[in-house]
Amino acid sequence: MKGERAFIDGLRALATHPAARNLQDDCAVLELGSETLVLTHDMMVGGVHFLADADLADVAWKLVASNLSDLAAKGAEPLGVLLGHMLGDEEDDKRFVEGLGEALEHYGVALLGGDTSAGGPPRCYGLTAFGRATCSPVPSRTGAQVDDSIYLVGTLGGAMQGFQALTSHSGADATAFLRPIPRLAEGRALAPYVTSMMDVSDGLLLDASRIARASNVTMTIESQLVPLTSPEINRQAAMRWGEDYALLFTAPKAVNLPVPATRIGTVRPAVDAPVRLDNLPLREEDGLGYEHG
Amino acid sequence: MKGERAFIDGLRALATHPAARNLQDDCAVLELGSETLVLTHDMMVGGVHFLADADLADVAWKLVASNLSDLAAKGAEPLGVLLGHMLGDEEDDKRFVEGLGEALEHYGVALLGGDTSAGGPPRCYGLTAFGRATCSPVPSRTGAQVDDSIYLVGTLGGAMQGFQALTSHSGADATAFLRPIPRLAEGRALAPYVTSMMDVSDGLLLDASRIARASNVTMTIESQLVPLTSPEINRQAAMRWGEDYALLFTAPKAVNLPVPATRIGTVRPAVDAPVRLDNLPLREEDGLGYEHG
């Protein structure tokens, strides 16, 4: 979008605090007394993040899930959420509350406050989730080391298949797109073992390139090792699709991981591109995933 | 708005955590290790909270100010903010960043993260501000005691005058409406002395009625004691206009306050109405202020 880069750069210039590692998709990590606080804020906008005929119960679920997934990648224990809600149709708002309640109950997270407003369409919803770190240092994008193994917890392609089912009206199962599951327990278990971690919200290859840039390494990934939910024919697309909320992390080869994870590659010294897929350099111009927006 | 009450009630039913004292306008207050965390989230939507031709630098300033004012009423020290921003016109977004930077610098508060999205108009912006409590117990709406004095820090009517200047194109000074000043220093200084406190964001009479209901008392206010910025003719309206971000609090009569404040009334046992103005009961149906929305 025209002007977006300038805007983000403008914000980045303001975000000089060390807790503001990444303004757009990551969490703020802040020491507070004896604890370390982890905070994140994600928005969902009608026509951008969800379809016009979406059930708002699913929208609310996904809003909670996408924020909790950011906390999962920090190994954080969620403490609560604050909601910004643009009021709409009465039945839609009722469904929103139902889906919100289901997601909060599922994860044992408390709704602590927020704000409501008239306005729209499009409807705009924002959620702030915060929690406490459970290990130190808190996993980030910056710690990947040469010779580490690269792992995924979860599979790719399910959200893409679900989205296609919805837009084609095929009637196939769209749960993976509508009700993604953030991997909070896995994130907490893994946090003490990883050298870097993030959730795959914008596509494996794009998110891997972010770890690569932050850690000054090259992520070499073997596409055949990437675990898929979707059929083999979708393998290339699935690696560029976000919203599966798998956990992507690096860890030393010798480490015994506490949860099942799939090894998909190796961290190498920085070479010609942040990500090499099947020994070919990938560049951002090639389209690595979803650049939002 | 139709359905709003049902929606808010639905949210309230979810917000069972003791930190969620008031879902819509107040802060969440949460113990975390050795510290007490205070969090708030406010939205601003085009056509609802700001005029169509508004300078977005002013909008960003006010978004920061309204959130910091919530923290001020808790005597909290701000630690940072997270921004939800809907991208718009390039020049508008540039002005937004400028105003955001001015406000954050003015208050020494860090931008720590957030999210951006396409979508709109209307533009929707959300800000989460959080901080640490500086005294215990954290001031709330619930502690007003019979025979306490009722005080204001700041004056009323300035925001109303500013708004009228803008909408009438009179050219008069609109600063009080466009660039309100949250009273962070005063809030912190007062916090150990007050029995209840909140910021006047929706109108003195409406906000006083909220303290009255939460504390199970009647707030008796003498209109002639209320300090005004606006001309005398606007006195009744000024007591019903929000956005001046004065601090409204109660404190025992004998207390020596650490900052200048104007005594505007006395807390009485709960009688026929939450607020009595010049010895007449006021009811919510009479219109006490701005019910949002």
Side-chain angles (χ1 to χ4, degrees), chain A residues 1-2 7 20 23-24 32 34 37 41-43 45 49 85 87 90 97 111 114-118 120 122 124 128 293, chain B residues 2 7 20 23-24 32 34 37 41-43 45 49 85 87 90 97 111-112 114-118 120 122 124 128 293:
Chain A
M1 173 176 292
K2 188 167 174 300
F7 176 73
L23 203 62
Q24 208 177 0
L32 179 66
S34 53
L37 200 60
H41 180 83
D42 273 355
M43 301 168 76
V45 179
H49 298 90
H85 181 100
L87 293 157
E90 189 168 355
V97 170
L111 176 64
D115 196 13
T116 58
S117 174
C124 172
T128 299
Chain B
K2 188 168 176 297
F7 176 75
L23 204 60
Q24 210 177 355
L32 179 67
S34 53
L37 200 60
H41 180 83
D42 272 357
M43 299 168 77
V45 179
H49 297 90
H85 180 99
L87 293 157
E90 188 167 358
V97 170
L111 175 64
L112 296 186
D115 196 12
T116 59
S117 174
C124 173
T128 299

Side-chain angles (χ1 to χ4, degrees), chain A residues 10 68 84 87 101 147 175 179 189 194 203 206 211 235 248 259 285:
Chain A
L68 293 185
L87 293 157
D147 289 336
T175 308
R179 301 252 173 162
V194 305
L206 180 57
I211 289 182
R235 180 171 295 275
L248 169 66
V259 296
E285 309 84 89

Side-chain angles (χ1 to χ4, degrees), chain A residues 219-235:
Chain A
M219 304 279 273
T220 64
I221 294 175
E222 296 173 56
S223 60
Q224 285 306 316
L225 297 180
V226 173
L228 293 191
T229 306
S230 54
E232 181 58 33
I233 194 171
N234 290 332
R235 180 171 295 275

Side-chain angles (χ1 to χ4, degrees), chain B residues 95-184:
Chain B
R95 290 294 296 155
F96 189 97
V97 170
E98 287 169 10
L100 184 70
E102 288 166 31
L104 294 175
E105 189 184 342
H106 186 86
Y107 292 104
V109 179
L111 175 64
L112 296 186
D115 196 12
T116 59
S117 174
R123 303 288 164 218
C124 173
Y125 310 108
L127 197 88
T128 299
F130 67 101
R132 50 180 291 279
T134 59
C135 85
S136 177
V138 176
S140 76
R141 303 176 180 191
T142 62
Q145 302 293 318
V146 171
D147 290 335
D148 280 353
S149 291
I150 306 170
Y151 294 94
L152 267 187
V153 173
T155 57
L156 302 184
M160 181 180 66
Q161 270 195 296
F163 179 78
Q164 288 165 346
L166 287 176
T167 50
S168 67
H169 303 282
S170 72
D173 183 17
T175 309
F177 175 76
L178 296 173
R179 300 255 173 162
I181 304 285
R183 300 180 179 276
L184 283 162

Side-chain angles (χ1 to χ4, degrees), chain B:
Chain B
M1 173 176 292
K2 188 168 176 297
E4 181 191 345
R5 181 51 49 198
F7 176 75
I8 303 277
D9 288 346
L11 288 183
R12 287 219 167 101
L14 295 182
T16 54
H17 191 285
R21 284 194 195 129
N22 184 300
L23 204 60
Q24 210 177 355
D25 345 60
D26 214 336
C27 296
V29 177
L30 196 75
E31 313 262 320
L32 179 67
S34 53
E35 299 277 353
T36 300
L37 200 60
V38 182
L39 304 104
T40 184
H41 180 83
D42 272 357
M43 299 168 77
M44 287 181 71
V45 179
V48 180
H49 297 90
F50 55 92
L51 300 167
D53 61 352
D55 178 351
L56 287 204
D58 294 330
V59 172
W61 176 286
K62 197 162 180 173
L63 183 63
V64 173
S66 69
N67 276 282
L68 293 185
S69 182
D70 286 330
L71 297 187
K74 299 293 180 199
E77 173 197 347
L79 292 172
V81 301
L82 288 91
L83 171 70
H85 180 99
M86 211 186 264
L87 293 157
D89 173 81
E90 188 167 358
E91 185 55 34
D92 281 351
D93 283 344
K94 189 168 162 238
R95 290 294 296 155
F96 189 97
V97 170
E98 287 169 10
L100 184 70
E102 288 166 31
L104 294 175
E105 189 184 342
H106 186 86
Y107 292 104
V109 179
L111 175 64
L112 296 186
D115 196 12
T116 59
S117 174
R123 303 288 164 218
C124 173
Y125 310 108
L127 197 88
T128 299
F130 67 101
R132 50 180 291 279
T134 59
C135 85
S136 177
V138 176
S140 76
R141 303 176 180 191
T142 62
Q145 302 293 318
V146 171
D147 290 335
D148 280 353
S149 291
I150 306 170
Y151 294 94
L152 267 187
V153 173
T155 57
L156 302 184
M160 181 180 66
Q161 270 195 296
F163 179 78
Q164 288 165 346
L166 287 176
T167 50
S168 67
H169 303 282
S170 72
D173 183 17
T175 309
F177 175 76
L178 296 173
R179 300 255 173 162
I181 304 285
R183 300 180 179 276
L184 283 162
E186 294 92 331
R188 281 182 63 174
L190 286 165
Y193 298 91
V194 305
T195 52
S196 71
M197 182 154 62
M198 63 186 296
D199 67 322
V200 180
S201 55
D202 293 330
L204 169 65
L205 301 179
L206 180 56
D207 288 331
S209 79
R210 289 168 173 160
I211 288 181
R213 288 182 192 283
S215 300
N216 193 29
V217 296
T218 287
M219 304 278 273
T220 64
I221 294 173
E222 297 173 55
S223 59
Q224 285 305 315
L225 298 180
V226 174
L228 294 191
T229 306
S230 53
E232 182 58 34
I233 194 171
N234 291 333
R235 180 171 294 276
Q236 289 298 318
M239 290 189 292
R240 291 166 171 84
W241 237 87
E243 304 191 298
D244 285 307
Y245 301 106
L247 289 176
L248 169 67
F249 66 94
T250 58
K253 270 182 189 153
V255 162
N256 268 326
L257 296 173
V259 296
T262 307
R263 188 184 157 276
I264 61 168
T266 305
V267 180
R268 298 291 182 206
V271 287
D272 50 354
V275 177
R276 288 180 67 96
L277 184 67
D278 302 329
N279 284 321
L280 291 175
L282 292 183
R283 291 194 175 78
E284 310 240 339
E285 310 82 271
D286 303 333
L288 304 181
Y290 182 68
E291 301 267 12
H292 48 107

